[in-house]
Amino acid sequence: MYLDENFQRLSAAYVAAHPAAFRAEAAQIKQTLRRPQRVLAFPPMVLSPARFAEIERSATELVRLLSALPWRVFAGQVGPWMDFLGLDEAARALLAPLASAERLRQATCFARPDMLPTASGFRATEINVASCIGGMGMLERYLTAFQAGAFGRYLAAQGMHASAPPTGARWRQALAARTPVAGRAARPVIFEARANPADSNSGRANFIHMAEQAGFQVRCGLIGELTLRADGVYAGAERIHTVYAMFTWDELRRFVPAALLLDLSALEQNGKVDLVLPLVTALFDHKANFEILSDPAFAHAFTAEEQQLLRRSIPATFRLRSETLADALAGQDQLVLKPTSQYGGKGIVIGKQVTAAEWRQRLAAASELGGYVCQQIVPDLWVRPALAGDDCPACLTALGPIVFDGRFSGVYLRQMPAQAATPVINAANGAEDGIALGVMGGT
């Protein structure tokens, strides 16, 4: 059982008694929190106390183990790690001079494992490591709107207090620890940076809200439009204290000149600007690391207790190389092909959904290109039961427990109808997003 039984019982009673009010509130919250190309899920999921505690423990521990890989497996040497990940020469040239021990220790400050509930527990299919983690800016605003609405007030009156960790406060604490330049400024300015000129989603309302709560004035624009001077970074005539990336490693590679990144990093080293960019994070936000976490050949790097967690949580994953191509061909019905550094379901091929000829063709192309893994398909996905018929049908769900600086900071929810043609649960495939809560005092 994943859901809190009391929440399910009270919710069913409320919806049956007040169907029109429930629908009106759902529509209002969806409109209030509307984001581009997103559909909001309502009501939130409320996990049982045991499951909420389980996802907290698993998520924080998995992020901790990922953070430890460069020291446990590669003796702190970034070169062998980049060899293992299969990074190209351009990526190596950019990252090698930036991958100091201090930057490596700070790299997983903003992380989110993606975890699928199954009949045998949570299974993590990837760990996102980036400053622009999906969902992080929406959680607290959703919770506030939900608790203030008629449905949330009804639940509270019945003694049910569904809540979550203070996402915004924990993000602010994690950010403050990494922005000393802003910390010294009387009126710090943070620059919400885009990389792709075609990205029109500048000035994200959720990010602006979070940054203003942290005491920043917010400016938005393309990172390439910034002016770099000996005394700092400027947007026009205004000094920028913190540059915060709302773009991915892939976008950085395609749209941001390496010279600009190195110049920015030099200014950061000289104490002239704070950078929150997808640079060294790219070494951690890489699905080839899941081979280390799942292959018994690396068991020596983990304690017996850690090995148990990894066996429960991580599907078998291997890098697609010439040496593993035969295994990938033979395992078509049990495997999914994934690019190592993409997001949003891009480039994913589910073996059992294509013909043998197409699978062979896709594997050959991916093997030649490089930068792909094969991962065992997660079986026995749990289905969230319907709550209000057509309004809240049965769904497949993906939970994204957010971890800021090693602290559990809330759970991002995505869901899509259980009969969906593809089990890849993301916005590109029409998934709704929302939050998962716990019962106060239950954990």
Side-chain angles (χ1 to χ4, degrees):
M1 171 63 71
Y2 280 91
L3 302 178
D4 183 85
E5 294 181 358
N6 198 31
F7 174 80
Q8 291 296 99
R9 178 181 59 80
L10 291 172
S11 298
Y14 181 85
V15 173
H18 310 284
F22 176 82
R23 294 189 185 103
E25 183 174 349
Q28 181 181 3
I29 287 182
K30 290 180 180 185
Q31 177 62 29
T32 300
L33 302 180
R34 182 171 55 88
R35 298 191 296 157
Q37 301 176 333
R38 294 288 191 273
V39 178
L40 201 70
F42 187 86
M45 175 188 288
V46 178
L47 295 168
S48 71
R51 290 297 192 183
F52 202 66
E54 178 187 350
I55 201 168
E56 174 179 359
R57 287 193 304 268
S58 296
T60 53
E61 186 67 359
L62 288 174
V63 172
R64 185 184 70 83
L65 294 177
L66 177 67
S67 304
L69 292 188
W71 292 277
R72 292 198 186 191
V73 179
F74 301 102
Q77 301 299 308
V78 176
W81 191 16
M82 291 194 291
D83 291 341
F84 179 87
L85 298 178
L87 298 190
D88 60 39
E89 288 303 317
R92 294 170 66 95
L94 175 61
L95 294 178
L98 302 177
S100 65
E102 182 62 23
R103 282 193 171 118
L104 289 172
R105 280 191 289 269
Q106 294 184 358
T108 56
C109 175
F110 305 105
R112 191 198 75 201
D114 281 349
M115 306 185 78
L116 301 177
T118 75
S120 56
F122 292 111
R123 303 277 281 173
T125 55
E126 61 183 275
I127 301 177
N128 303 277
V129 181
S131 56
C132 55
I133 288 174
M136 70 176 188
M138 177 262 291
L139 300 190
E140 211 158 64
R141 295 182 68 207
Y142 187 124
L143 176 60
T144 299
F146 168 68
Q147 291 177 332
F151 184 36
R153 295 197 308 272
Y154 161 80
L155 292 174
Q158 304 301 311
M160 160 149 284
H161 300 280
S163 192
T167 307
R170 294 187 178 177
W171 178 80
R172 292 191 293 272
Q173 291 164 1
L175 182 64
R178 280 149 184 80
T179 52
V181 175
R184 295 191 295 268
R187 292 172 59 81
V189 180
I190 192 169
F191 187 83
E192 183 216 51
R194 292 174 290 127
N196 183 355
D199 180 3
S200 60
N201 190 18
S202 181
R204 294 161 173 83
N206 288 330
F207 178 80
I208 291 174
H209 173 76
M210 291 176 70
E212 289 177 343
Q213 289 288 309
F216 284 97
Q217 299 179 78
V218 184
R219 305 293 181 261
C220 310
L222 290 169
I223 192 170
E225 295 174 344
L226 292 171
T227 300
L228 277 57
R229 305 178 188 171
D231 65 334
V233 175
Y234 290 80
E238 186 172 33
R239 173 78 183 274
I240 301 298
H241 302 93
T242 301
V243 179
Y244 194 103
M246 296 302 285
F247 53 84
T248 65
W249 166 249
D250 177 65
E251 291 173 302
L252 179 148
R253 294 288 308 277
R254 288 188 291 136
F255 300 110
V256 185
L260 172 60
L261 295 167
L262 292 173
D263 288 345
L264 280 168
S265 297
L267 286 171
E268 180 192 39
Q269 286 292 97
N270 291 329
K272 303 302 183 182
V273 68
D274 304 314
L275 299 181
V276 187
L277 300 179
L279 287 167
V280 178
T281 57
L283 299 170
F284 296 90
D285 190 21
H286 197 288
K287 296 179 186 69
N289 289 315
F290 265 46
E291 179 174 330
I292 300 173
L293 296 176
S294 65
D295 190 338
F298 295 96
H300 63 277
F302 307 101
T303 68
E305 185 177 2
E306 290 167 349
Q307 290 176 41
Q308 290 180 359
L309 171 68
L310 294 173
R311 283 195 296 270
R312 290 195 308 269
S313 305
I314 306 293
T317 305
F318 59 87
R319 293 163 294 161
L320 182 64
R321 300 175 294 156
S322 58
E323 303 94 315
T324 61
L325 185 56
D327 291 336
L329 285 167
Q332 176 178 352
D333 289 344
Q334 290 80 42
L335 295 174
V336 54
L337 176 68
K338 295 182 174 184
T340 53
S341 296
Q342 281 285 5
Y343 65 99
K346 296 175 183 175
I348 288 179
V349 181
I350 299 172
K352 63 184 180 182
Q353 292 187 345
V354 299
T355 65
E358 184 177 354
W359 180 248
R360 187 180 305 108
Q361 182 181 22
R362 298 296 288 268
L363 288 178
S367 179
E368 182 177 352
L369 183 63
Y372 281 80
V373 297
C374 286
Q375 186 174 83
Q376 189 170 39
I377 292 174
V378 175
D380 302 323
L381 296 179
W382 172 76
V383 176
R384 180 184 182 180
L387 176 63
D390 293 338
D391 292 313
C392 304
C395 286
L396 296 171
T397 64
L399 299 180
I402 291 175
V403 180
F404 292 146
D405 223 358
R407 301 179 71 192
F408 177 59
S409 302
V411 183
Y412 175 51
L413 165 71
R414 285 164 295 173
Q415 64 181 35
M416 58 195 304
Q419 68 274 18
T422 172
V424 180
I425 307 169
N426 57 39
N429 289 321
E432 300 177 324
D433 61 359
I435 60 174
L437 306 174
V439 180
M440 288 181 62
T443 60

